[in-house]
Amino acid sequence: MRQARIVAALYFILTISPAISDMTDSIEMMWGNTQVLYDSAGHQIMSLTLDQWTTSAFRSKSQYLFGRFDIDIKLVPKESAGTVTTIYMVTEGPWQYHDEIDLEFLGNTTGEPYTLHTNIYAKGKGGREKQYRLWFDPTEDFNTYSIIWNPHNILILVNGKPIRQMKNQMRDDTPFPLFQPMRMYASIWNADQWATQGGRIKTDWSQAPFTAFFRNYTANACVPYNRAWICGQGSGDSSWFNQELDEEGKQKLKDVDDKDKIYDYCTDSRRFPDGYPPECASQ
């Protein structure tokens, strides 16, 4: 009951942020070799480049408290070992209490597949890693990666297919991102100490610069204000606010688990010899 009242209160202090088409309307460049390009139709594309001297990053201009976030990414092709391209949402308060939703694309040697590494932090507690081999080559073209974050669950989707769900189990004392707004970030950086085959394969800087491309960022989301109408009222699609997996979605998630998931902290008995974290029972 207490949680229901909290969610209802949050619902009344949020306002919807409409989806935005131009990247620079909603994104600000941060550091490194970050560029705005244009395709043949005049649509904006953001590029992030990594070399031996600098990383690159951009972030959303707004912070959000719940929403659906979609972005198209074309990853570094060919020799990408050691590189990590990321999109993530993170709070900006004290780090020991931070919330975060991570999608990290771990590069590999030419011809070997990328790994999509995911993690979720709540109240400073992470360690919820799950990894996937994508069922397509993410370097050949743009593909859509999505985060749906609402008071009920977090969903991660790839080209509309759910690959991960974390349910809100605060009633069972499991931390869940519920109170702190988050900002969307994207970056590219070198992590060859661990990213590719456990750090065995290092970055080949003779192949630099490494560039990833981003387009069609949309945030159909809630921006917190002191005084606002109900989140989702007015223009914009707010169906994400109560979205959970239906039976078809659950089956798709199971298919990904069976075919494409390569690591799950909830099945790592060496890491948790005394029993898995409590949230694992219903993820």
Side-chain angles (χ1 to χ4, degrees), residues 53-254:
W53 298 276
T54 185
T55 62
S56 301
F58 63 77
R59 70 178 186 179
S60 63
K61 293 180 179 178
S62 297
Q63 295 188 70
Y64 306 99
L65 188 56
F66 310 130
R68 174 171 180 143
F69 308 89
D70 302 273
I71 193 165
D72 297 346
I73 307 174
K74 185 177 181 181
L75 293 172
V76 177
K78 298 181 180 178
E79 187 65 33
S80 59
T83 69
V84 179
T85 304
T86 69
I87 55 170
Y88 60 100
M89 301 190 67
V90 65
T91 57
E92 298 181 348
W95 188 251
Q96 64 267 35
Y97 305 115
H98 86 286
D99 300 335
E100 188 170 346
I101 305 169
D102 287 339
L103 282 72
E104 300 183 336
F105 301 89
L106 312 184
N108 216 328
T109 54
T110 299
E112 295 296 320
Y114 266 78
T115 295
L116 172 54
H117 176 96
T118 67
N119 199 358
I120 298 172
Y121 289 76
K123 294 185 178 179
K125 182 181 184 299
R128 299 184 174 98
E129 299 92 348
K130 295 188 181 186
Q131 294 184 342
Y132 307 85
R133 289 276 196 255
L134 298 174
W135 52 93
F136 54 87
D137 184 346
T139 73
E140 288 185 344
D141 203 350
F142 286 95
N143 291 274
T144 304
Y145 305 91
S146 308
I147 296 170
I148 297 173
W149 168 40
N150 63 36
H152 312 290
N153 61 181
I154 292 167
L155 296 170
I156 296 174
L157 301 89
V158 176
N159 291 332
K161 179 188 291 188
I163 67 165
R164 180 166 186 181
Q165 179 185 39
M166 178 180 173
K167 297 179 181 178
N168 180 353
Q169 298 180 85
M170 288 186 65
R171 65 182 180 277
D172 298 323
D173 296 324
T174 299
F176 183 85
L178 191 64
F179 304 106
Q180 302 182 87
M182 291 195 270
R183 194 186 302 268
M184 172 71 79
Y185 285 77
S187 65
I188 186 170
W189 48 289
N190 176 50
D192 65 3
Q193 71 275 16
W194 64 270
T196 302
Q197 300 179 34
R200 187 175 65 85
I201 307 298
K202 303 301 181 182
T203 304
D204 181 359
W205 292 111
S206 70
Q207 303 297 313
F210 304 100
T211 302
F213 299 93
F214 303 75
R215 71 180 186 189
N216 294 341
Y217 169 70
T218 59
N220 192 358
C222 294
V223 178
Y225 288 104
N226 290 328
R227 296 181 180 178
W229 56 85
I230 297 175
C231 179
Q233 193 175 50
S235 62
D237 175 16
S238 60
S239 59
W240 54 264
F241 193 86
N242 291 300
Q243 185 170 344
E244 299 183 69
L245 291 179
D246 57 15
E247 291 306 312
E248 181 181 2
K250 291 176 183 177
Q251 183 59 51
K252 289 180 179 179
L253 183 64
K254 183 179 184 303

